[in-house]
Amino acid sequence: MVRGDDNVVRTHAAIAALIQAAALPSRVTERALAVFRALAGAESVLHRRPVDQVHFHEVGGHDAVVDVVGTAAALEVLGVDEVTASAVATGTGTVRSAHGRLPNPAPATVRLLAGAPTYGRDVGVELTTPTGAALLAALCSSFGPLPDMTITRSGFGGGSGELHDLPNCTQVVIGRRAQAGAVGRGQEALLLETNLDDVTGEQLGHAVAAALDAGALDAWLSAVTMKKGRPGHVLHVLVDPGRAGALRQVIQRATGTMGIRATTVERWPVARAMEHVTVDGMTVRVKVSGGRAKPEFDDVALVAAKTGASLQEVSSRAEEAWRAVHRPPPGDDHRPSA
């Protein structure tokens, strides 16, 4: 292990160059770069600077690089093609950082876990670090209970610290998905719905936005004809069962509805990740799934408003910036076998 670099500060560009220069299998390189892109994207937003100019402090040392690259290498050695995780635990209090005392979980951790199910424990320890959150954000296709699979191997990794009433360890379970063509159980979710015929269009739009801001998996509206021929709408809000209570209150406050119904459903989300690119010095989030990159409209609209460029031009430039990072070098068109 390399010692004495705890105070080394590296930019995202420098770390990406280190990883790309290493003689690593292509998928190890891709996964490691994705983790640091996720970290850089979060820090870019928090510090308001372009991704490549982000300076890593604690996560810029050799130990953090080894942690990330080592995880990607372990997944490759074990032949893991898809990663899922349980809900993510966070602690309370404050943590020490290069910027001084920060709330626990740290701001970067919170931003990286956007969209993931989380829960807090009354423990004054950093249960999830920014590096750990970045690994989850970049590598996990979904979160929730153990997926349907045939378990082939498992193991535990224990930490050196002692936690009261909590095991300081991480469990890893490896298995094989059901055979092709078989439909396994999906993620359980609740579909909250309410009929509305006495709210304005502005209130409907606000209700959808409020539900999404409060952590809904999705939210949308359907136009319907209600009793006595009155036109109305149905507000649909898809939620994780653990957040149903909070989302019910959000819906009630936003609409004034007198009743909300719930239906238990299953969903099979396609693996996706939120990455970041820079267009004219401004950060644009890009939703990535199956090789498709879709720039976030709000970010595109903001860049367009500030630069005078068209929405189409900004979106095209953001997508091209993402593809430029992910375009394999000439001649590197092979992938290692798992």
Coordinates of all heavy atoms in Angstrom, one line a residue, residues 21-74:
A21 N -4.7 5.2 -17.8 CA -3.3 4.8 -18.2 C -2.9 3.4 -17.6 O -1.9 2.8 -18.0 CB -2.3 5.9 -17.6
A22 N -3.7 2.9 -16.7 CA -3.4 1.6 -16.1 C -3.8 0.5 -17.0 O -4.7 0.6 -17.8 CB -4.2 1.5 -14.7
A23 N -3.1 -0.6 -16.9 CA -3.4 -1.8 -17.7 C -4.5 -2.6 -17.1 O -4.3 -3.6 -16.5 CB -2.1 -2.6 -17.9
L24 N -5.7 -2.1 -17.3 CA -6.9 -2.7 -16.7 C -7.8 -3.3 -17.7 O -7.9 -2.7 -18.8 CB -7.7 -1.7 -15.8 CG -6.9 -1.1 -14.7 CD1 -7.7 0.1 -14.1 CD2 -6.6 -2.1 -13.6
P25 N -8.5 -4.3 -17.4 CA -9.6 -4.8 -18.4 C -10.6 -3.7 -18.6 O -10.8 -2.8 -17.8 CB -10.2 -6.0 -17.6 CG -9.2 -6.4 -16.7 CD -8.4 -5.2 -16.3
S26 N -11.1 -3.6 -19.8 CA -11.9 -2.5 -20.2 C -13.1 -2.2 -19.3 O -13.5 -1.1 -19.0 CB -12.4 -2.6 -21.6 OG -13.2 -3.8 -21.8
R27 N -13.8 -3.3 -18.8 CA -14.9 -3.1 -17.9 C -14.5 -2.6 -16.6 O -15.3 -1.8 -15.9 CB -15.8 -4.4 -17.8 CG -17.1 -4.1 -17.1 CD -18.1 -5.2 -17.4 NE -17.8 -6.5 -16.8 CZ -18.7 -7.5 -16.7 NH1 -19.9 -7.3 -17.1 NH2 -18.3 -8.6 -16.2
V28 N -13.4 -3.0 -16.1 CA -12.9 -2.4 -14.8 C -12.6 -0.9 -15.0 O -13.0 -0.1 -14.1 CB -11.6 -3.1 -14.4 CG1 -11.0 -2.5 -13.2 CG2 -11.8 -4.6 -14.1
T29 N -12.0 -0.5 -16.1 CA -11.8 0.9 -16.4 C -13.1 1.6 -16.4 O -13.3 2.7 -15.8 CB -11.0 1.1 -17.7 OG1 -9.8 0.4 -17.6 CG2 -10.8 2.5 -18.0
E30 N -14.1 1.1 -17.2 CA -15.4 1.8 -17.3 C -16.1 2.0 -16.0 O -16.6 3.0 -15.7 CB -16.3 1.0 -18.3 CG -15.8 0.9 -19.7 CD -16.5 -0.1 -20.5 OE1 -17.5 -0.7 -20.0 OE2 -16.1 -0.3 -21.7
R31 N -16.1 0.9 -15.1 CA -16.8 1.0 -13.9 C -16.1 2.0 -12.9 O -16.7 2.8 -12.2 CB -16.9 -0.4 -13.2 CG -18.0 -1.2 -13.8 CD -17.9 -2.7 -13.3 NE -19.2 -3.4 -13.6 CZ -19.3 -4.7 -13.5 NH1 -18.3 -5.5 -13.2 NH2 -20.5 -5.2 -13.8
A32 N -14.7 1.9 -12.9 CA -14.0 2.8 -12.0 C -14.2 4.3 -12.4 O -14.4 5.2 -11.6 CB -12.5 2.5 -12.0
L33 N -14.1 4.5 -13.7 CA -14.4 5.9 -14.2 C -15.8 6.4 -13.9 O -16.0 7.5 -13.6 CB -14.1 6.0 -15.7 CG -12.7 5.8 -16.2 CD1 -12.6 5.8 -17.7 CD2 -11.8 7.0 -15.7
A34 N -16.7 5.5 -14.0 CA -18.1 5.8 -13.7 C -18.3 6.3 -12.3 O -19.0 7.2 -12.0 CB -19.1 4.7 -14.0
V35 N -17.6 5.6 -11.4 CA -17.7 6.0 -9.9 C -17.1 7.4 -9.7 O -17.7 8.2 -9.0 CB -16.9 4.9 -9.1 CG1 -16.9 5.4 -7.6 CG2 -17.6 3.6 -9.2
F36 N -15.9 7.6 -10.3 CA -15.3 9.0 -10.1 C -16.1 10.0 -10.9 O -16.1 11.2 -10.4 CB -13.9 8.9 -10.5 CG -13.0 8.4 -9.4 CD1 -12.4 7.1 -9.5 CD2 -12.8 9.1 -8.2 CE1 -11.6 6.6 -8.5 CE2 -12.0 8.6 -7.2 CZ -11.4 7.4 -7.3
R37 N -16.8 9.7 -12.0 CA -17.6 10.7 -12.6 C -18.8 11.0 -11.7 O -19.2 12.2 -11.7 CB -18.2 10.1 -14.0 CG -17.2 10.3 -15.1 CD -17.9 10.1 -16.5 NE -18.6 8.8 -16.6 CZ -18.0 7.7 -17.0 NH1 -16.7 7.7 -17.4 NH2 -18.7 6.6 -17.1
A38 N -19.4 10.0 -11.0 CA -20.5 10.3 -10.1 C -20.0 11.2 -9.0 O -20.7 12.2 -8.7 CB -21.0 9.0 -9.6
L39 N -18.8 10.9 -8.4 CA -18.3 11.8 -7.4 C -18.1 13.2 -7.9 O -18.4 14.2 -7.3 CB -17.0 11.2 -6.9 CG -17.0 10.2 -5.7 CD1 -15.7 9.5 -5.6 CD2 -17.4 10.9 -4.4
A40 N -17.4 13.3 -9.1 CA -17.1 14.6 -9.6 C -18.4 15.4 -10.0 O -18.5 16.6 -9.8 CB -16.3 14.4 -10.9
G41 N -19.4 14.7 -10.4 CA -20.7 15.3 -10.7 C -21.3 15.9 -9.5 O -21.8 17.1 -9.5
A42 N -21.3 15.2 -8.4 CA -21.8 15.7 -7.1 C -21.0 16.9 -6.6 O -21.6 17.9 -6.2 CB -21.9 14.6 -6.1
E43 N -19.7 16.8 -6.6 CA -18.9 17.9 -6.2 C -19.0 19.1 -7.1 O -18.9 20.2 -6.7 CB -17.4 17.4 -6.1 CG -17.2 16.3 -5.1 CD -17.3 16.8 -3.6 OE1 -17.4 18.1 -3.5 OE2 -17.3 16.0 -2.7
S44 N -19.2 18.9 -8.4 CA -19.3 19.9 -9.4 C -20.5 20.8 -9.0 O -20.4 22.1 -9.0 CB -19.5 19.4 -10.8 OG -19.8 20.4 -11.7
V45 N -21.6 20.2 -8.7 CA -22.8 20.9 -8.3 C -22.6 21.7 -7.0 O -23.0 22.8 -6.8 CB -24.0 20.0 -8.2 CG1 -25.3 20.7 -7.7 CG2 -24.3 19.4 -9.6
L46 N -22.0 21.0 -6.0 CA -21.8 21.6 -4.7 C -20.9 22.7 -4.7 O -21.0 23.7 -4.0 CB -21.3 20.5 -3.7 CG -22.4 19.4 -3.4 CD1 -21.7 18.3 -2.5 CD2 -23.5 20.0 -2.6
H47 N -19.8 22.6 -5.5 CA -18.8 23.7 -5.5 C -18.9 24.6 -6.7 O -18.1 25.5 -6.9 CB -17.4 23.0 -5.5 CG -17.1 22.3 -4.2 ND1 -16.8 22.9 -3.1 CD2 -17.1 21.0 -4.0 CE1 -16.6 22.0 -2.1 NE2 -16.8 20.8 -2.6
R48 N -19.9 24.3 -7.6 CA -20.1 25.2 -8.8 C -18.9 25.4 -9.6 O -18.5 26.5 -9.9 CB -20.7 26.6 -8.3 CG -22.0 26.5 -7.5 CD -22.4 27.8 -7.0 NE -23.6 27.7 -6.2 CZ -24.3 28.7 -5.6 NH1 -23.8 29.9 -5.7 NH2 -25.3 28.5 -4.9
R49 N -18.4 24.3 -10.1 CA -17.2 24.4 -11.0 C -17.3 23.2 -12.0 O -18.0 22.2 -11.7 CB -15.9 24.4 -10.3 CG -15.6 23.1 -9.5 CD -14.2 23.1 -9.0 NE -13.9 24.3 -8.1 CZ -12.7 24.8 -7.8 NH1 -11.6 24.1 -8.3 NH2 -12.5 25.8 -7.1
P50 N -16.7 23.3 -13.2 CA -16.8 22.3 -14.2 C -16.3 20.9 -13.6 O -15.4 20.9 -12.7 CB -15.9 22.8 -15.3 CG -15.9 24.3 -15.2 CD -16.0 24.5 -13.7
V51 N -16.8 19.9 -14.1 CA -16.5 18.5 -13.6 C -15.0 18.3 -13.6 O -14.4 17.8 -12.6 CB -17.2 17.4 -14.5 CG1 -16.7 16.1 -14.1 CG2 -18.7 17.5 -14.2
D52 N -14.3 18.6 -14.7 CA -12.9 18.2 -14.8 C -12.0 19.1 -13.9 O -10.8 18.8 -13.7 CB -12.4 18.4 -16.3 CG -12.8 17.2 -17.1 OD1 -13.2 16.2 -16.6 OD2 -12.7 17.3 -18.4
Q53 N -12.6 20.2 -13.4 CA -11.8 21.0 -12.5 C -12.1 20.8 -11.0 O -11.6 21.4 -10.1 CB -12.1 22.5 -12.8 CG -11.6 23.0 -14.1 CD -12.0 24.4 -14.4 OE1 -12.2 25.2 -13.5 NE2 -12.0 24.8 -15.7
V54 N -13.0 19.8 -10.8 CA -13.3 19.4 -9.4 C -12.0 18.8 -8.7 O -11.3 18.0 -9.2 CB -14.4 18.4 -9.3 CG1 -14.5 17.7 -8.0 CG2 -15.7 19.0 -9.7
H55 N -11.8 19.3 -7.5 CA -10.6 18.8 -6.7 C -11.1 17.9 -5.6 O -12.0 18.2 -4.9 CB -9.9 20.0 -6.0 CG -9.1 20.8 -7.0 ND1 -9.7 21.8 -7.8 CD2 -7.8 20.8 -7.2 CE1 -8.7 22.4 -8.5 NE2 -7.6 21.8 -8.2
F56 N -10.6 16.7 -5.7 CA -10.9 15.7 -4.7 C -9.9 15.8 -3.5 O -8.7 15.9 -3.7 CB -10.8 14.2 -5.2 CG -11.9 13.9 -6.3 CD1 -11.5 13.3 -7.4 CD2 -13.2 14.3 -6.0 CE1 -12.5 13.0 -8.4 CE2 -14.2 14.0 -7.0 CZ -13.8 13.3 -8.1
H57 N -10.4 15.8 -2.3 CA -9.6 15.8 -1.1 C -9.5 14.4 -0.5 O -8.6 13.6 -0.9 CB -10.2 16.8 -0.1 CG -10.2 18.2 -0.6 ND1 -9.1 19.0 -0.4 CD2 -11.1 18.9 -1.3 CE1 -9.3 20.2 -0.9 NE2 -10.5 20.2 -1.5
E58 N -10.4 14.0 0.4 CA -10.3 12.7 1.0 C -10.4 11.6 -0.1 O -9.7 10.5 0.1 CB -11.4 12.5 2.0 CG -11.3 13.3 3.2 CD -12.0 14.7 3.1 OE1 -12.3 15.1 1.9 OE2 -12.1 15.5 4.0
V59 N -11.1 11.8 -1.1 CA -11.3 10.7 -2.1 C -10.3 10.8 -3.3 O -10.4 10.1 -4.3 CB -12.7 10.7 -2.7 CG1 -13.7 10.4 -1.7 CG2 -13.0 12.1 -3.4
G60 N -9.3 11.7 -3.1 CA -8.2 11.8 -4.1 C -7.0 11.1 -3.8 O -6.1 11.0 -4.7
G61 N -6.8 10.5 -2.6 CA -5.6 9.8 -2.2 C -5.6 8.4 -2.8 O -6.6 7.9 -3.4
H62 N -4.4 7.8 -2.7 CA -4.3 6.4 -3.3 C -5.3 5.4 -2.7 O -5.8 4.6 -3.4 CB -2.8 5.9 -3.1 CG -1.8 6.6 -4.0 ND1 -0.7 7.2 -3.5 CD2 -1.8 6.6 -5.3 CE1 0.0 7.7 -4.6 NE2 -0.7 7.3 -5.7
D63 N -5.5 5.6 -1.4 CA -6.4 4.6 -0.7 C -7.8 4.6 -1.4 O -8.4 3.5 -1.7 CB -6.6 4.9 0.8 CG -5.4 4.6 1.6 OD1 -4.4 4.0 1.0 OD2 -5.3 4.8 2.8
A64 N -8.3 5.8 -1.7 CA -9.7 5.9 -2.3 C -9.6 5.3 -3.7 O -10.6 4.7 -4.2 CB -10.1 7.3 -2.3
V65 N -8.6 5.6 -4.5 CA -8.4 5.1 -5.8 C -8.4 3.6 -5.8 O -9.0 2.9 -6.6 CB -7.2 5.7 -6.5 CG1 -7.0 5.1 -7.9 CG2 -7.3 7.2 -6.6
V66 N -7.6 3.1 -4.9 CA -7.5 1.6 -4.7 C -8.9 1.0 -4.4 O -9.3 -0.1 -4.9 CB -6.4 1.2 -3.7 CG1 -6.5 -0.3 -3.4 CG2 -5.0 1.6 -4.2
D67 N -9.6 1.7 -3.5 CA -10.9 1.2 -3.1 C -11.8 1.1 -4.3 O -12.5 0.1 -4.5 CB -11.6 2.1 -2.0 CG -10.9 2.0 -0.7 OD1 -10.2 1.0 -0.4 OD2 -11.1 2.9 0.2
V68 N -11.9 2.1 -5.1 CA -12.8 2.1 -6.2 C -12.3 1.2 -7.3 O -13.1 0.3 -7.8 CB -12.9 3.6 -6.8 CG1 -13.6 3.6 -8.1 CG2 -13.5 4.5 -5.8
V69 N -11.1 1.2 -7.7 CA -10.6 0.3 -8.7 C -10.6 -1.1 -8.3 O -10.9 -2.0 -9.0 CB -9.1 0.7 -9.2 CG1 -8.6 -0.3 -10.2 CG2 -9.1 2.1 -9.8
G70 N -10.3 -1.3 -7.0 CA -10.3 -2.7 -6.4 C -11.7 -3.3 -6.4 O -11.9 -4.5 -6.7
T71 N -12.7 -2.4 -6.1 CA -14.1 -2.9 -6.2 C -14.5 -3.3 -7.6 O -15.1 -4.4 -7.9 CB -15.1 -1.8 -5.7 OG1 -14.8 -1.5 -4.3 CG2 -16.5 -2.3 -5.8
A72 N -14.1 -2.5 -8.6 CA -14.4 -2.8 -10.0 C -13.7 -4.0 -10.4 O -14.2 -4.9 -11.2 CB -14.0 -1.6 -10.9
A73 N -12.4 -4.2 -10.0 CA -11.7 -5.4 -10.3 C -12.3 -6.7 -9.7 O -12.3 -7.7 -10.3 CB -10.2 -5.2 -9.9
A74 N -12.7 -6.5 -8.4 CA -13.4 -7.7 -7.8 C -14.6 -8.1 -8.5 O -14.9 -9.3 -8.7 CB -13.7 -7.3 -6.3

